[in-house]
Amino acid sequence: MKKFTGIPGSPGIVVGKALLYADNDLYEIPRYTIRKNQIESEWKRFLTANAEAAEEVRTLHNRMIQEARREEASILDAHLMMLEDTELQDQIKERLNISLENIEWAVRSIFCDMKEKLLASPDPYLRERAADLSDVSRRVMHKLLAIKKASLTDLKSDVILVSYDLLPSDILAMNKKRVKGIVTDTGSRTSHTAILARAFAIPAVLGLSAVTKEIREGETLMVNGSLGEVIVNPDKQAAVQYQKTLDQYRKTGDALQDIRELPAETGDGRRVHLKANIEVPEEAAQAFRYGAEGIGLYRSEFLFLTSGRVIDEEEQYRAYRQVLKSMGDLPVTIRTLDIGGDKLLPEFQSGNEKNPLLGWRAIRFSLSLPDLFKTQLRALLRAGLDGNLRIMFPMISGIEELEQALAMVEEAKADCYRKGQAYMEQIAVGTMIEIPAAAMTADILAERSDFFSIGTNDLIQYALAVDRGNEKVGYLAQPFHPAILRFFKRIIDGAHARRITAGMCGELAGDPSAAALLLGLGLDEFSMIPQSIPLVKRIIRGVVMEDCRALAEEALRCTSSQQVALLLEVWMAKHFPDGEGYI
Ligand code: PEP
Ligand code: MG
């Protein structure tokens, strides 16, 4: 038996057989010199690999057409064109002849050069093709290196997918009924894999370094996506423990279903709102199932990121409308693009910024591209007629930026008016508080915001100077650091002084052990992954405000994260002696 701990990417526990999706990666491409008389055989290897890759894409393409998945089919069309591009093939042949290195290296060099050129092109269409090129080059490389990639569409039995990483196209194509769990070497909580796994409710553990080297095809895996644990070939004791956890999980799940219809209200009547964070429109249904009282954060950038291209106004309009309609009268907060940082759009970003997390990100990105920003705002304003929409800006650092963004909303309204498009005139516009400067000036920002939502993932990252994706310093990302608690208090008090609500949509909002403390600090709204809603609701319904306020006051007097964590542990053990709500 072996046990690995990684990043809890998507909650839930599952046991099943491993399917190794790929046991190698582009970074491990062999490089060696060849003799002149080997050129011909190397070239033949390429032609075979390329033909196999093309055949694979054709099959996938036909399936997409049959299933009327036109957008995905058009992406595959572009892939096929690249695989059939004779000019590209000539370049590879020339590189092989000149460099006298193995064909894998020649292919890699040409694809890298091409990608660089595409990214540098002024033509947006060409820049967009860079993401497709990566997909295609990886497919050809897998054929050359004889890495057998199982077809994720035609799975005959249930599997747990073990992979170095997953491409968006893999996730789109996979049979989600058969893939019961996902385990990857790379990734963070905000990686595509995590986000899509959560969207499709597939338990996932990510960032396990070299786990693909440790697991063999067909081995039994126990995956706990809530804790970030993977056990390979569990012994009897682990199997018994797994069954216990599963039973408890189901029992809690059943019990939690019972409180779906009940309000998120403390024992003494303080009513708060529990909403869902979603990344793709389809997730709205899941939010509803778990009793969400609306969407507190729709990360609109994933609309662009999953397809790797800029989405036009009509397509955006349709996606926003779909979410709004599926939530009926319930409020839906759509965040404008948070592109940049670790979420790059190949059309604009090549990933060579020195400090991307401090760079061209979120509202800065949108404000510097007014046409793109206003297109999104028009799509939102128009979709606003079909539901209860609220718009939210990410990464506001000060009042000037907020004023500029608000001015853009007015310009977008004027555009709609000029074009004769129907749109919603009155829409609440809120500010994400996720930069320390915004937290410190919350009172000022509250004057021009209809609501606040605290983005703890970034607020912690920026306040404590800890890269949220870097596992080496991850231990420093302490949500209960005294500095963070003081920020929370300042933000919530700043909002309430101006009679606006203070919500939270970072990961901490879905942590049941933090709920009482956040209530005590005065938080009005908690937005989280849909699956966490019943757990947090149970805590809220099991406490009274007087106790929560006392807890918050004591926590604010603590001098270290450990002290606060210990305080919460003891408090929770006292108020929830059976550990209810903790899975
Ligand atoms: C956050 O920063 O807490 C947040 C919710 O936004 P994201 O995770 O998308 O950066
Ligand atoms: Mg953020």
Side-chain angles (χ1 to χ4, degrees):
M1 180 179 109
K2 284 188 260 183
K3 185 172 166 180
F4 303 95
T5 306
I7 296 164
S10 173
I13 53 174
V14 68
V15 65
K17 298 280 179 211
L19 174 74
L20 280 185
Y21 187 47
D23 59 4
N24 212 328
D25 182 76
L26 283 183
Y27 303 108
E28 296 179 38
I29 295 166
R31 181 180 190 177
Y32 48 85
T33 47
I34 56 167
R35 289 186 306 275
K36 269 203 165 145
N37 64 3
Q38 288 177 296
I39 290 178
E40 207 42 47
S41 60
E42 287 292 286
W43 180 241
K44 273 195 185 134
R45 282 212 301 125
F46 168 75
L47 291 177
T48 310
N50 201 60
E52 283 173 6
E55 191 49 41
E56 204 171 84
V57 174
R58 250 178 243 119
T59 310
L60 203 54
H61 178 266
N62 291 344
R63 186 184 300 263
M64 297 296 159
I65 294 285
Q66 274 165 18
E67 293 173 8
R69 292 155 75 175
R70 281 191 193 81
E71 271 165 38
E72 291 153 44
S74 78
I75 294 173
L76 293 169
D77 259 338
H79 291 189
L80 211 48
M81 270 169 64
M82 285 177 185
L83 286 162
E84 289 166 351
D85 183 346
T86 49
E87 233 172 80
L88 178 63
Q89 293 176 8
D90 288 347
Q91 283 182 43
I92 294 171
K93 191 159 194 195
E94 197 184 336
R95 183 68 58 100
L96 179 69
N97 282 322
I98 295 170
S99 70
L100 283 181
E101 288 183 310
N102 57 316
I103 186 68
E104 287 87 354
W105 200 255
V107 168
R108 180 197 175 278
S109 314
I110 292 296
F111 273 108
C112 283
D113 290 354
M114 285 225 6
K115 195 172 167 194
E116 285 284 301
K117 274 190 202 130
L118 286 178
L119 286 173
S121 161
D123 180 348
Y125 175 81
L126 290 178
R127 287 201 300 273
E128 229 175 75
R129 300 279 74 82
D132 294 323
L133 199 69
S134 297
D135 221 329
V136 167
S137 68
R138 196 186 273 209
R139 213 180 272 280
V140 174
M141 199 59 75
H142 281 144
K143 296 290 172 203
L144 275 174
L145 294 170
I147 297 167
K148 277 202 200 74
K149 287 196 107 184
S151 159
L152 295 182
T153 329
D154 294 323
L155 296 168
K156 300 278 179 296
S157 56
D158 293 351
V159 297
I160 292 179
L161 208 56
V162 179
S163 181
Y164 174 79
D165 194 5
L166 287 175
L167 299 173
S169 58
D170 293 329
I171 300 176
L172 287 171
M174 75 168 56
N175 178 344
K176 281 127 197 135
K177 288 202 181 90
R178 289 290 189 204
V179 178
K180 297 293 176 194
I182 292 174
V183 169
T184 61
D185 285 347
T186 59
S188 69
R189 269 200 66 77
T190 45
S191 61
H192 279 118
T193 312
I195 283 166
L196 293 173
R198 287 200 293 273
F200 297 112
I202 303 170
V205 180
L206 316 174
L208 286 152
S209 303
V211 83
T212 45
K213 304 273 179 292
E214 305 281 347
I215 297 175
R216 272 190 280 278
E217 183 104 4
E219 284 186 315
T220 302
L221 304 184
M222 273 179 191
V223 176
N224 187 330
S226 308
L227 294 179
E229 270 176 18
V230 178
I231 297 178
V232 186
N233 293 331
D235 59 18
K236 250 198 177 147
Q237 205 186 342
V240 171
Q241 184 54 44
Y242 167 82
Q243 197 52 48
K244 263 195 195 155
T245 318
L246 190 63
D247 290 345
Q248 200 191 349
Y249 196 73
R250 287 196 180 129
K251 219 169 87 190
T252 313
D254 291 345
L256 291 173
Q257 268 307 316
D258 299 343
I259 64 168
R260 188 191 176 282
E261 303 299 331
L262 299 175
E265 192 173 277
T266 62
D268 53 345
R270 159 95 168 119
R271 179 76 163 90
V272 291
H273 294 278
L274 303 189
K275 297 183 180 173
N277 291 353
I278 62 166
E279 285 74 30
V280 290
E282 293 74 26
E283 250 181 306
Q286 195 159 318
F288 212 68
R289 224 180 6 260
Y290 282 95
E293 296 174 273
I295 303 296
L297 169 66
Y298 170 28
R299 291 179 162 102
S300 67
E301 63 274 12
F302 280 95
L303 204 55
F304 291 56
L305 294 172
T306 45
S307 59
R309 66 194 164 87
V310 168
I311 305 294
D312 68 22
E313 184 175 328
E314 288 313 304
E315 213 178 315
Q316 287 191 58
Y317 169 66
R318 284 199 298 273
Y320 304 149
R321 252 181 93 201
Q322 184 185 339
V323 178
L324 283 159
K325 283 195 156 177
S326 58
M327 296 308 288
D329 292 339
L330 295 173
V332 173
T333 304
I334 302 186
R335 174 174 78 181
T336 61
L337 291 181
D338 186 0
I339 293 285
D342 59 347
K343 294 180 275 194
L344 305 181
L345 195 59
E347 181 166 343
F348 294 102
Q349 293 144 321
S350 63
N352 52 14
E353 262 187 292
K354 260 201 174 154
N355 290 302
L357 293 168
L358 301 179
W360 196 36
R361 234 198 109 173
I363 198 70
R364 305 160 183 194
F365 175 86
S366 292
L367 286 172
S368 68
L369 297 165
D371 287 344
L372 187 81
F373 193 20
K374 278 194 281 179
T375 302
Q376 174 167 43
L377 291 170
R378 280 196 305 272
L380 285 168
L381 292 166
R382 290 170 54 205
L385 290 172
D386 287 295
N388 184 355
L389 173 68
R390 312 192 320 159
I391 295 176
M392 181 161 77
F393 300 129
M395 275 193 74
I396 291 287
S397 66
I399 191 72
E400 293 92 345
E401 225 166 13
L402 178 57
E403 294 289 3
Q404 283 172 42
L406 289 170
M408 286 287 183
V409 175
E410 293 312 310
E411 282 185 35
K413 282 182 189 169
D415 283 353
C416 291
Y417 181 77
R418 253 196 315 273
K419 290 183 184 178
Q421 291 168 319
Y423 67 96
M424 192 69 182
E425 176 64 43
Q426 292 298 328
I427 285 189
V429 182
T431 303
M432 270 193 89
I433 307 290
E434 50 183 346
I435 293 185
M440 289 303 287
T441 53
D443 53 334
I444 302 170
L445 296 173
E447 295 272 6
R448 298 287 285 135
S449 308
D450 293 321
F451 62 93
F452 278 168
S453 188
I454 307 174
T456 51
N457 308 341
D458 278 316
L459 184 61
I460 293 168
Q461 152 165 280
Y462 295 125
L464 304 180
V466 181
D467 177 346
R468 66 195 256 190
N470 183 338
E471 65 269 21
K472 287 201 181 68
V473 291
Y475 71 98
L476 287 170
Q478 300 284 351
F480 303 129
H481 190 292
I484 302 296
L485 297 192
R486 288 168 199 210
F487 275 138
F488 290 167
K489 176 152 176 53
R490 204 179 172 98
I491 298 164
I492 296 168
D493 289 352
H496 290 173
R498 304 286 164 212
R499 297 186 189 288
I500 64 167
T501 56
M504 181 178 282
C505 59
E507 291 302 312
L508 190 66
D511 178 351
S513 71
L517 170 61
L518 296 173
L519 278 173
L521 287 168
L523 198 72
D524 304 295
E525 179 182 310
F526 299 63
S527 192
M528 62 201 81
I529 56 167
Q531 298 91 317
S532 294
I533 291 174
L535 299 171
V536 173
K537 194 191 278 187
R538 168 170 288 194
I539 301 295
I540 290 170
R541 293 184 58 79
V543 297
V544 290
M545 282 307 287
E546 194 184 335
D547 291 347
C548 295
R549 280 194 206 101
L551 171 67
E553 276 166 28
E554 203 174 338
L556 284 166
R557 283 194 296 272
C558 288
T559 53
S560 70
S561 313
Q562 281 105 318
Q563 264 187 28
V564 181
L566 189 65
L567 171 69
L568 287 181
E569 204 181 310
V570 172
W571 197 93
M572 290 299 280
K574 186 175 150 205
H575 289 79
F576 297 90
D578 299 335
E580 288 169 40
Y582 286 98
I583 277 200

